Amino acid sequence: MGLDAGAAVPPNRRFGEEGGRLFYGGYLRLPELLAQQQPQSEAPDELLFITVHQVYELWFKLLLHELEVARDAMLRGELWLARHQFRRVHAVERVLIQQVDVLETMTPQDFMAFREKLAPASGFQSVQFRELEYLSGLKDPSYLSRLRDASDTEIDRLRRRLDEPSLWDAYLTALSQRGLPVSDDEIMGSLLTVARDRRSHDDLWQLAEDLLTHDETAAQWRARHVQMVERQIGTKSGTGGSTGAPYLRGRTRLHYFPLLWELRTWL
């Protein structure tokens, strides 16, 4: 007879020796993962550069997953779940900002030892980063024609992000489910109602704050990133053909949710 759900685990039970005998390295696919760092030069710091950027892409993958869950929860009216996901998103985004510190342990001289090997590769070509922008509401279709080396699969992913609801679309749905109008000429009035009647709409207010924190931490990462670029290469052009730091500096002023920032003026 098997143990019931409330029974204690037998004291002699040895985890790790049951089921399919899954091991740490196999579960995480460590041989495959650790084989992906392949420097193109003998420069000592190229491994650092590759590792940091691969880790960024892993975080981007997780962020896309978490933000999709948050968006879909808002669409279903499950605001508590969306807020839970945003707490995780904010924690990951803080790690992204701190990760720049690791990259800045590389001096400009160290970077120049292998930088020429990178061209025309560039962070501009990160499809997952563009997906994050699209999912958050910054939908600029011009990138589809500018990502020259993106695969058909990657372009299809970006097209899907352009067509699917953004986080802002999901928040508007949550407002409308509460009976608040969301047309262009009425949305600010609805945001003000939420802000001024927190007794009735505190969950919507807190969710708007979660969106704003996502926007703010993304802006902080962009600002920290451009500082790092300026420290490494000054005003040199980027390896992908952009103007480098000046291009990045211009993007620090972007907002995912401009109406939430404008709301502060009306309060």
Side-chain angles (χ1 to χ4, degrees), residues 177-238:
Q177 290 171 345
R178 194 65 59 85
L180 297 168
V182 295
S183 64
D184 290 345
D185 57 347
E186 295 176 301
I187 180 59
M188 185 55 71
S190 294
L191 294 176
L192 284 168
T193 297
V194 169
R196 291 169 176 167
D197 186 7
R198 291 178 60 186
R199 185 179 298 276
S200 301
H201 301 300
D202 188 64
D203 54 348
L204 287 169
W205 168 259
Q206 296 297 339
L207 189 56
E209 290 291 276
D210 289 332
L211 289 170
L212 204 67
T213 299
H214 168 52
D215 199 343
E216 185 176 31
T217 51
Q220 288 172 348
W221 182 82
R222 286 192 293 266
R224 187 70 183 88
H225 180 241
V226 72
Q227 286 179 326
M228 181 270 295
V229 170
E230 289 173 333
R231 182 168 179 166
Q232 294 292 335
I233 65 170
T235 58
K236 293 185 181 75
S237 61

Short mmCIF file of all heavy atoms in Angstrom, two decimals, residues 177-238:
data_model
loop_
_atom_site.label_atom_id
_atom_site.label_comp_id
_atom_site.label_asym_id
_atom_site.label_seq_id
_atom_site.Cartn_x
_atom_site.Cartn_y
_atom_site.Cartn_z
N GLN A 177 -11.73 45.47 -18.35
CA GLN A 177 -12.44 44.46 -17.58
C GLN A 177 -13.00 45.03 -16.27
O GLN A 177 -13.94 44.48 -15.70
CB GLN A 177 -11.52 43.27 -17.29
CG GLN A 177 -11.19 42.43 -18.52
CD GLN A 177 -10.10 41.40 -18.26
OE1 GLN A 177 -9.39 41.46 -17.25
NE2 GLN A 177 -9.95 40.45 -19.17
N ARG A 178 -12.42 46.13 -15.81
CA ARG A 178 -12.89 46.81 -14.61
C ARG A 178 -13.95 47.87 -14.96
O ARG A 178 -14.43 48.59 -14.08
CB ARG A 178 -11.70 47.46 -13.89
CG ARG A 178 -11.98 47.91 -12.46
CD ARG A 178 -12.30 46.74 -11.54
NE ARG A 178 -11.20 45.79 -11.50
CZ ARG A 178 -10.14 45.89 -10.69
NH1 ARG A 178 -10.02 46.92 -9.88
NH2 ARG A 178 -9.21 44.95 -10.70
N GLY A 179 -14.29 47.98 -16.24
CA GLY A 179 -15.31 48.94 -16.66
C GLY A 179 -14.77 50.32 -16.95
O GLY A 179 -15.54 51.28 -17.09
N LEU A 180 -13.44 50.45 -17.07
CA LEU A 180 -12.82 51.74 -17.34
C LEU A 180 -12.58 51.89 -18.84
O LEU A 180 -12.04 50.97 -19.47
CB LEU A 180 -11.50 51.86 -16.57
CG LEU A 180 -11.63 51.84 -15.04
CD1 LEU A 180 -10.27 51.66 -14.38
CD2 LEU A 180 -12.31 53.11 -14.55
N PRO A 181 -12.92 53.03 -19.43
CA PRO A 181 -12.73 53.21 -20.88
C PRO A 181 -11.25 53.32 -21.24
O PRO A 181 -10.46 53.87 -20.48
CB PRO A 181 -13.47 54.51 -21.17
CG PRO A 181 -13.51 55.24 -19.88
CD PRO A 181 -13.57 54.20 -18.80
N VAL A 182 -10.89 52.81 -22.42
CA VAL A 182 -9.48 52.78 -22.81
C VAL A 182 -9.26 53.36 -24.20
O VAL A 182 -8.20 53.14 -24.80
CB VAL A 182 -8.91 51.34 -22.75
CG1 VAL A 182 -8.91 50.84 -21.31
CG2 VAL A 182 -9.72 50.39 -23.64
N SER A 183 -10.22 54.11 -24.73
CA SER A 183 -10.00 54.76 -26.02
C SER A 183 -8.92 55.83 -25.86
O SER A 183 -8.61 56.27 -24.74
CB SER A 183 -11.29 55.39 -26.54
OG SER A 183 -11.73 56.42 -25.67
N ASP A 184 -8.36 56.27 -26.98
CA ASP A 184 -7.25 57.22 -26.94
C ASP A 184 -7.58 58.49 -26.17
O ASP A 184 -6.74 59.05 -25.47
CB ASP A 184 -6.80 57.57 -28.36
CG ASP A 184 -6.12 56.41 -29.06
OD1 ASP A 184 -5.74 55.44 -28.36
OD2 ASP A 184 -5.96 56.46 -30.29
N ASP A 185 -8.80 58.97 -26.31
CA ASP A 185 -9.16 60.22 -25.67
C ASP A 185 -9.69 60.05 -24.24
O ASP A 185 -9.99 61.02 -23.56
CB ASP A 185 -10.18 61.00 -26.50
CG ASP A 185 -11.44 60.19 -26.76
OD1 ASP A 185 -11.43 58.97 -26.52
OD2 ASP A 185 -12.43 60.78 -27.22
N GLU A 186 -9.80 58.79 -23.79
CA GLU A 186 -10.32 58.53 -22.45
C GLU A 186 -9.33 57.83 -21.53
O GLU A 186 -9.55 57.76 -20.31
CB GLU A 186 -11.59 57.68 -22.53
CG GLU A 186 -12.77 58.35 -23.21
CD GLU A 186 -13.96 57.42 -23.35
OE1 GLU A 186 -13.80 56.37 -24.01
OE2 GLU A 186 -15.04 57.74 -22.81
N ILE A 187 -8.24 57.32 -22.08
CA ILE A 187 -7.34 56.49 -21.29
C ILE A 187 -6.72 57.25 -20.14
O ILE A 187 -6.59 56.73 -19.03
CB ILE A 187 -6.25 55.84 -22.19
CG1 ILE A 187 -5.31 54.98 -21.36
CG2 ILE A 187 -5.47 56.88 -22.96
CD1 ILE A 187 -5.99 53.85 -20.62
N MET A 188 -6.33 58.52 -20.34
CA MET A 188 -5.72 59.27 -19.24
C MET A 188 -6.71 59.45 -18.10
O MET A 188 -6.34 59.38 -16.92
CB MET A 188 -5.20 60.61 -19.73
CG MET A 188 -4.44 61.40 -18.64
SD MET A 188 -3.06 60.48 -17.88
CE MET A 188 -1.90 60.46 -19.26
N GLY A 189 -7.97 59.67 -18.43
CA GLY A 189 -8.99 59.78 -17.39
C GLY A 189 -9.11 58.49 -16.58
O GLY A 189 -9.27 58.52 -15.35
N SER A 190 -9.00 57.35 -17.27
CA SER A 190 -9.06 56.07 -16.56
C SER A 190 -7.85 55.87 -15.66
O SER A 190 -7.97 55.38 -14.53
CB SER A 190 -9.17 54.92 -17.57
OG SER A 190 -10.41 54.98 -18.26
N LEU A 191 -6.68 56.24 -16.15
CA LEU A 191 -5.47 56.13 -15.32
C LEU A 191 -5.58 57.02 -14.09
O LEU A 191 -5.14 56.64 -12.99
CB LEU A 191 -4.24 56.50 -16.15
CG LEU A 191 -3.90 55.55 -17.30
CD1 LEU A 191 -2.70 56.10 -18.10
CD2 LEU A 191 -3.58 54.14 -16.80
N LEU A 192 -6.16 58.20 -14.26
CA LEU A 192 -6.34 59.10 -13.12
C LEU A 192 -7.35 58.51 -12.12
O LEU A 192 -7.17 58.64 -10.90
CB LEU A 192 -6.82 60.46 -13.60
CG LEU A 192 -5.74 61.35 -14.23
CD1 LEU A 192 -6.37 62.54 -14.94
CD2 LEU A 192 -4.75 61.84 -13.17
N THR A 193 -8.39 57.87 -12.63
CA THR A 193 -9.36 57.22 -11.75
C THR A 193 -8.69 56.15 -10.90
O THR A 193 -8.91 56.06 -9.69
CB THR A 193 -10.49 56.59 -12.57
OG1 THR A 193 -11.20 57.62 -13.26
CG2 THR A 193 -11.46 55.82 -11.69
N VAL A 194 -7.85 55.34 -11.53
CA VAL A 194 -7.12 54.30 -10.81
C VAL A 194 -6.22 54.92 -9.75
O VAL A 194 -6.16 54.47 -8.60
CB VAL A 194 -6.29 53.45 -11.79
CG1 VAL A 194 -5.32 52.56 -11.05
CG2 VAL A 194 -7.22 52.62 -12.68
N ALA A 195 -5.51 55.99 -10.12
CA ALA A 195 -4.56 56.61 -9.20
C ALA A 195 -5.26 57.29 -8.02
O ALA A 195 -4.74 57.29 -6.90
CB ALA A 195 -3.71 57.62 -9.96
N ARG A 196 -6.44 57.85 -8.25
CA ARG A 196 -7.13 58.63 -7.22
C ARG A 196 -8.10 57.82 -6.38
O ARG A 196 -8.57 58.29 -5.33
CB ARG A 196 -7.87 59.80 -7.88
CG ARG A 196 -6.92 60.85 -8.46
CD ARG A 196 -7.64 61.86 -9.33
NE ARG A 196 -6.72 62.91 -9.79
CZ ARG A 196 -7.00 63.79 -10.76
NH1 ARG A 196 -8.20 63.72 -11.37
NH2 ARG A 196 -6.12 64.69 -11.12
N ASP A 197 -8.42 56.62 -6.84
CA ASP A 197 -9.34 55.76 -6.08
C ASP A 197 -8.67 54.41 -5.84
O ASP A 197 -9.11 53.38 -6.34
CB ASP A 197 -10.66 55.59 -6.84
CG ASP A 197 -11.70 54.82 -6.02
OD1 ASP A 197 -11.44 54.55 -4.82
OD2 ASP A 197 -12.75 54.47 -6.59
N ARG A 198 -7.63 54.44 -5.04
CA ARG A 198 -6.89 53.20 -4.79
C ARG A 198 -7.67 52.25 -3.89
O ARG A 198 -7.37 51.06 -3.85
CB ARG A 198 -5.52 53.53 -4.20
CG ARG A 198 -4.61 54.22 -5.23
CD ARG A 198 -3.28 54.59 -4.66
NE ARG A 198 -2.56 53.43 -4.17
CZ ARG A 198 -1.41 53.52 -3.52
NH1 ARG A 198 -0.86 54.70 -3.26
NH2 ARG A 198 -0.80 52.43 -3.10
N ARG A 199 -8.68 52.76 -3.17
CA ARG A 199 -9.52 51.86 -2.38
C ARG A 199 -10.22 50.86 -3.30
O ARG A 199 -10.40 49.69 -2.93
CB ARG A 199 -10.55 52.68 -1.59
CG ARG A 199 -11.41 51.83 -0.64
CD ARG A 199 -12.39 52.73 0.14
NE ARG A 199 -11.68 53.68 0.95
CZ ARG A 199 -11.20 53.44 2.16
NH1 ARG A 199 -11.36 52.23 2.69
NH2 ARG A 199 -10.57 54.38 2.84
N SER A 200 -10.60 51.32 -4.48
CA SER A 200 -11.31 50.44 -5.43
C SER A 200 -10.37 49.79 -6.44
O SER A 200 -10.67 48.71 -6.94
CB SER A 200 -12.37 51.25 -6.19
OG SER A 200 -13.31 51.83 -5.31
N HIS A 201 -9.25 50.45 -6.74
CA HIS A 201 -8.43 50.00 -7.86
C HIS A 201 -6.95 49.83 -7.50
O HIS A 201 -6.08 49.99 -8.36
CB HIS A 201 -8.54 51.01 -9.01
CG HIS A 201 -9.93 51.23 -9.51
ND1 HIS A 201 -10.70 50.22 -10.02
CD2 HIS A 201 -10.69 52.36 -9.57
CE1 HIS A 201 -11.88 50.70 -10.40
NE2 HIS A 201 -11.90 51.99 -10.13
N ASP A 202 -6.66 49.51 -6.25
CA ASP A 202 -5.25 49.43 -5.87
C ASP A 202 -4.49 48.37 -6.65
O ASP A 202 -3.31 48.54 -6.96
CB ASP A 202 -5.10 49.16 -4.37
CG ASP A 202 -3.64 49.27 -3.93
OD1 ASP A 202 -3.06 50.38 -4.03
OD2 ASP A 202 -3.07 48.23 -3.53
N ASP A 203 -5.14 47.25 -6.99
CA ASP A 203 -4.45 46.21 -7.75
C ASP A 203 -4.03 46.72 -9.13
O ASP A 203 -2.92 46.43 -9.60
CB ASP A 203 -5.30 44.95 -7.88
CG ASP A 203 -6.69 45.21 -8.44
OD1 ASP A 203 -7.10 46.39 -8.54
OD2 ASP A 203 -7.37 44.23 -8.78
N LEU A 204 -4.89 47.52 -9.75
CA LEU A 204 -4.53 48.11 -11.04
C LEU A 204 -3.43 49.16 -10.89
O LEU A 204 -2.55 49.27 -11.76
CB LEU A 204 -5.76 48.76 -11.69
CG LEU A 204 -6.81 47.80 -12.25
CD1 LEU A 204 -8.08 48.55 -12.60
CD2 LEU A 204 -6.27 47.05 -13.46
N TRP A 205 -3.47 49.92 -9.80
CA TRP A 205 -2.42 50.90 -9.56
C TRP A 205 -1.07 50.20 -9.35
O TRP A 205 -0.06 50.59 -9.94
CB TRP A 205 -2.75 51.77 -8.35
CG TRP A 205 -1.59 52.59 -7.88
CD1 TRP A 205 -0.76 52.34 -6.81
CD2 TRP A 205 -1.06 53.77 -8.51
NE1 TRP A 205 0.22 53.29 -6.72
CE2 TRP A 205 0.06 54.18 -7.76
CE3 TRP A 205 -1.44 54.51 -9.62
CZ2 TRP A 205 0.82 55.31 -8.08
CZ3 TRP A 205 -0.69 55.64 -9.95
CH2 TRP A 205 0.42 56.03 -9.19
N GLN A 206 -1.05 49.16 -8.51
CA GLN A 206 0.20 48.45 -8.24
C GLN A 206 0.73 47.78 -9.51
O GLN A 206 1.94 47.72 -9.72
CB GLN A 206 -0.02 47.41 -7.14
CG GLN A 206 -0.39 47.99 -5.78
CD GLN A 206 0.70 48.88 -5.21
OE1 GLN A 206 1.87 48.81 -5.59
NE2 GLN A 206 0.31 49.76 -4.28
N LEU A 207 -0.16 47.29 -10.34
CA LEU A 207 0.27 46.68 -11.59
C LEU A 207 0.88 47.73 -12.52
O LEU A 207 1.88 47.48 -13.20
CB LEU A 207 -0.90 45.99 -12.27
CG LEU A 207 -0.59 45.12 -13.49
CD1 LEU A 207 0.45 44.07 -13.15
CD2 LEU A 207 -1.86 44.46 -14.01
N ALA A 208 0.29 48.93 -12.54
CA ALA A 208 0.87 50.03 -13.33
C ALA A 208 2.26 50.37 -12.81
O ALA A 208 3.18 50.67 -13.60
CB ALA A 208 -0.04 51.25 -13.28
N GLU A 209 2.44 50.33 -11.49
CA GLU A 209 3.76 50.57 -10.91
C GLU A 209 4.75 49.49 -11.32
O GLU A 209 5.93 49.76 -11.56
CB GLU A 209 3.65 50.64 -9.39
CG GLU A 209 2.94 51.87 -8.87
CD GLU A 209 3.76 53.13 -9.11
OE1 GLU A 209 4.64 53.45 -8.30
OE2 GLU A 209 3.50 53.81 -10.14
N ASP A 210 4.28 48.25 -11.42
CA ASP A 210 5.15 47.16 -11.89
C ASP A 210 5.59 47.40 -13.33
O ASP A 210 6.76 47.17 -13.68
CB ASP A 210 4.41 45.82 -11.80
CG ASP A 210 4.23 45.35 -10.37
OD1 ASP A 210 5.05 45.71 -9.51
OD2 ASP A 210 3.25 44.61 -10.12
N LEU A 211 4.67 47.84 -14.17
CA LEU A 211 5.01 48.17 -15.55
C LEU A 211 6.04 49.30 -15.59
O LEU A 211 7.02 49.24 -16.35
CB LEU A 211 3.77 48.58 -16.33
CG LEU A 211 2.76 47.49 -16.65
CD1 LEU A 211 1.48 48.10 -17.21
CD2 LEU A 211 3.33 46.48 -17.64
N LEU A 212 5.84 50.30 -14.75
CA LEU A 212 6.75 51.44 -14.74
C LEU A 212 8.14 51.02 -14.26
O LEU A 212 9.15 51.51 -14.78
CB LEU A 212 6.18 52.54 -13.84
CG LEU A 212 6.68 53.96 -14.15
CD1 LEU A 212 6.18 54.43 -15.50
CD2 LEU A 212 6.23 54.93 -13.06
N THR A 213 8.20 50.13 -13.28
CA THR A 213 9.50 49.64 -12.81
C THR A 213 10.21 48.86 -13.91
O THR A 213 11.43 48.99 -14.10
CB THR A 213 9.32 48.76 -11.57
OG1 THR A 213 8.74 49.53 -10.52
CG2 THR A 213 10.66 48.21 -11.09
N HIS A 214 9.47 48.06 -14.65
CA HIS A 214 10.05 47.36 -15.81
C HIS A 214 10.61 48.36 -16.80
O HIS A 214 11.74 48.20 -17.30
CB HIS A 214 8.97 46.50 -16.46
CG HIS A 214 9.32 45.94 -17.80
ND1 HIS A 214 10.49 45.25 -18.04
CD2 HIS A 214 8.65 45.99 -19.00
CE1 HIS A 214 10.52 44.88 -19.32
NE2 HIS A 214 9.44 45.33 -19.91
N ASP A 215 9.87 49.41 -17.07
CA ASP A 215 10.32 50.47 -17.99
C ASP A 215 11.57 51.15 -17.44
O ASP A 215 12.56 51.37 -18.17
CB ASP A 215 9.18 51.48 -18.15
CG ASP A 215 9.32 52.36 -19.39
OD1 ASP A 215 10.42 52.43 -19.96
OD2 ASP A 215 8.32 53.00 -19.76
N GLU A 216 11.55 51.48 -16.16
CA GLU A 216 12.65 52.21 -15.54
C GLU A 216 13.93 51.38 -15.49
O GLU A 216 15.02 51.89 -15.80
CB GLU A 216 12.25 52.63 -14.13
CG GLU A 216 13.28 53.50 -13.43
CD GLU A 216 12.78 53.98 -12.08
OE1 GLU A 216 12.00 53.25 -11.44
OE2 GLU A 216 13.18 55.08 -11.66
N THR A 217 13.82 50.12 -15.12
CA THR A 217 15.03 49.28 -15.05
C THR A 217 15.61 49.02 -16.44
O THR A 217 16.83 48.94 -16.60
CB THR A 217 14.74 47.95 -14.32
OG1 THR A 217 13.60 47.32 -14.91
CG2 THR A 217 14.51 48.18 -12.85
N ALA A 218 14.74 48.90 -17.44
CA ALA A 218 15.24 48.76 -18.81
C ALA A 218 16.01 50.00 -19.22
O ALA A 218 17.07 49.92 -19.86
CB ALA A 218 14.08 48.50 -19.77
N ALA A 219 15.50 51.18 -18.86
CA ALA A 219 16.20 52.43 -19.17
C ALA A 219 17.52 52.52 -18.41
O ALA A 219 18.52 53.01 -18.95
CB ALA A 219 15.30 53.62 -18.83
N GLN A 220 17.54 52.05 -17.18
CA GLN A 220 18.77 52.07 -16.40
C GLN A 220 19.82 51.15 -17.04
O GLN A 220 21.01 51.49 -17.07
CB GLN A 220 18.49 51.63 -14.96
CG GLN A 220 17.73 52.66 -14.15
CD GLN A 220 17.29 52.12 -12.80
OE1 GLN A 220 17.35 50.92 -12.53
NE2 GLN A 220 16.83 53.02 -11.93
N TRP A 221 19.37 50.00 -17.54
CA TRP A 221 20.31 49.11 -18.21
C TRP A 221 20.86 49.76 -19.48
O TRP A 221 22.07 49.69 -19.74
CB TRP A 221 19.64 47.78 -18.59
CG TRP A 221 20.61 46.84 -19.24
CD1 TRP A 221 21.52 46.02 -18.63
CD2 TRP A 221 20.81 46.68 -20.65
NE1 TRP A 221 22.26 45.35 -19.57
CE2 TRP A 221 21.86 45.73 -20.82
CE3 TRP A 221 20.22 47.23 -21.78
CZ2 TRP A 221 22.30 45.33 -22.08
CZ3 TRP A 221 20.67 46.84 -23.03
CH2 TRP A 221 21.69 45.89 -23.17
N ARG A 222 20.00 50.41 -20.27
CA ARG A 222 20.48 51.07 -21.49
C ARG A 222 21.49 52.16 -21.14
O ARG A 222 22.52 52.30 -21.82
CB ARG A 222 19.30 51.65 -22.27
CG ARG A 222 18.46 50.62 -22.99
CD ARG A 222 17.50 51.27 -23.99
NE ARG A 222 16.47 52.05 -23.33
CZ ARG A 222 15.27 51.59 -23.00
NH1 ARG A 222 14.94 50.35 -23.27
NH2 ARG A 222 14.39 52.38 -22.41
N ALA A 223 21.21 52.93 -20.08
CA ALA A 223 22.14 54.00 -19.68
C ALA A 223 23.46 53.43 -19.19
O ALA A 223 24.54 53.94 -19.52
CB ALA A 223 21.50 54.86 -18.59
N ARG A 224 23.37 52.36 -18.39
CA ARG A 224 24.61 51.73 -17.89
C ARG A 224 25.41 51.12 -19.03
O ARG A 224 26.64 51.18 -19.04
CB ARG A 224 24.22 50.65 -16.86
CG ARG A 224 25.39 50.03 -16.13
CD ARG A 224 26.03 51.01 -15.18
NE ARG A 224 27.20 50.42 -14.54
CZ ARG A 224 28.42 50.48 -15.05
NH1 ARG A 224 28.63 51.09 -16.22
NH2 ARG A 224 29.44 49.93 -14.42
N HIS A 225 24.71 50.56 -20.00
CA HIS A 225 25.37 49.94 -21.14
C HIS A 225 26.12 50.98 -21.97
O HIS A 225 27.26 50.76 -22.39
CB HIS A 225 24.32 49.22 -22.00
CG HIS A 225 24.88 48.54 -23.20
ND1 HIS A 225 24.52 48.87 -24.48
CD2 HIS A 225 25.81 47.55 -23.32
CE1 HIS A 225 25.17 48.12 -25.34
NE2 HIS A 225 25.96 47.31 -24.68
N VAL A 226 25.48 52.13 -22.22
CA VAL A 226 26.15 53.14 -23.04
C VAL A 226 27.36 53.72 -22.31
O VAL A 226 28.38 54.04 -22.94
CB VAL A 226 25.17 54.25 -23.47
CG1 VAL A 226 24.77 55.14 -22.32
CG2 VAL A 226 25.78 55.10 -24.59
N GLN A 227 27.28 53.84 -20.99
CA GLN A 227 28.45 54.29 -20.23
C GLN A 227 29.61 53.32 -20.39
O GLN A 227 30.77 53.73 -20.55
CB GLN A 227 28.09 54.43 -18.75
CG GLN A 227 27.24 55.64 -18.43
CD GLN A 227 26.91 55.71 -16.95
OE1 GLN A 227 26.74 54.69 -16.28
NE2 GLN A 227 26.81 56.92 -16.43
N MET A 228 29.29 52.03 -20.35
CA MET A 228 30.32 51.02 -20.53
C MET A 228 30.94 51.10 -21.92
O MET A 228 32.16 51.01 -22.09
CB MET A 228 29.73 49.63 -20.29
CG MET A 228 30.71 48.47 -20.43
SD MET A 228 30.79 47.82 -22.12
CE MET A 228 29.12 47.18 -22.30
N VAL A 229 30.10 51.30 -22.95
CA VAL A 229 30.60 51.42 -24.32
C VAL A 229 31.52 52.63 -24.44
O VAL A 229 32.59 52.56 -25.04
CB VAL A 229 29.43 51.50 -25.31
CG1 VAL A 229 29.93 51.87 -26.71
CG2 VAL A 229 28.67 50.17 -25.35
N GLU A 230 31.10 53.76 -23.88
CA GLU A 230 31.93 54.97 -23.93
C GLU A 230 33.26 54.76 -23.21
O GLU A 230 34.30 55.25 -23.65
CB GLU A 230 31.16 56.15 -23.32
CG GLU A 230 30.01 56.62 -24.18
CD GLU A 230 29.15 57.67 -23.49
OE1 GLU A 230 29.11 57.68 -22.24
OE2 GLU A 230 28.52 58.48 -24.20
N ARG A 231 33.22 54.02 -22.12
CA ARG A 231 34.44 53.76 -21.38
C ARG A 231 35.38 52.85 -22.16
O ARG A 231 36.61 52.97 -22.06
CB ARG A 231 34.09 53.11 -20.03
CG ARG A 231 35.29 52.82 -19.15
CD ARG A 231 34.84 52.48 -17.75
NE ARG A 231 35.98 52.17 -16.90
CZ ARG A 231 35.92 52.10 -15.57
NH1 ARG A 231 34.77 52.32 -14.95
NH2 ARG A 231 36.99 51.81 -14.86
N GLN A 232 34.81 51.95 -22.97
CA GLN A 232 35.63 51.00 -23.72
C GLN A 232 36.14 51.56 -25.04
O GLN A 232 37.31 51.37 -25.39
CB GLN A 232 34.82 49.72 -23.99
CG GLN A 232 34.47 48.91 -22.75
CD GLN A 232 35.68 48.29 -22.10
OE1 GLN A 232 36.69 48.04 -22.74
NE2 GLN A 232 35.61 48.05 -20.80
N ILE A 233 35.26 52.22 -25.81
CA ILE A 233 35.66 52.62 -27.18
C ILE A 233 35.45 54.10 -27.46
O ILE A 233 35.66 54.54 -28.60
CB ILE A 233 34.93 51.78 -28.24
CG1 ILE A 233 33.41 52.06 -28.21
CG2 ILE A 233 35.21 50.30 -28.06
CD1 ILE A 233 32.66 51.45 -29.39
N GLY A 234 35.03 54.88 -26.46
CA GLY A 234 34.81 56.30 -26.71
C GLY A 234 33.72 56.53 -27.73
O GLY A 234 32.61 56.00 -27.59
N THR A 235 34.00 57.29 -28.76
CA THR A 235 33.00 57.60 -29.79
C THR A 235 33.26 56.84 -31.10
O THR A 235 32.77 57.23 -32.16
CB THR A 235 32.97 59.11 -30.08
OG1 THR A 235 34.28 59.54 -30.49
CG2 THR A 235 32.55 59.89 -28.84
N LYS A 236 34.06 55.77 -31.03
CA LYS A 236 34.27 54.95 -32.23
C LYS A 236 32.94 54.36 -32.68
O LYS A 236 32.02 54.16 -31.89
CB LYS A 236 35.25 53.80 -31.93
CG LYS A 236 36.67 54.21 -31.63
CD LYS A 236 37.54 52.96 -31.49
CE LYS A 236 38.99 53.32 -31.17
NZ LYS A 236 39.13 53.75 -29.76
N SER A 237 32.83 54.06 -33.97
CA SER A 237 31.63 53.43 -34.51
C SER A 237 31.53 52.00 -34.00
O SER A 237 32.54 51.38 -33.63
CB SER A 237 31.64 53.44 -36.03
OG SER A 237 32.75 52.71 -36.52
N GLY A 238 30.30 51.48 -33.99
CA GLY A 238 30.09 50.11 -33.54
C GLY A 238 30.56 49.10 -34.57
O GLY A 238 30.66 49.40 -35.76
#
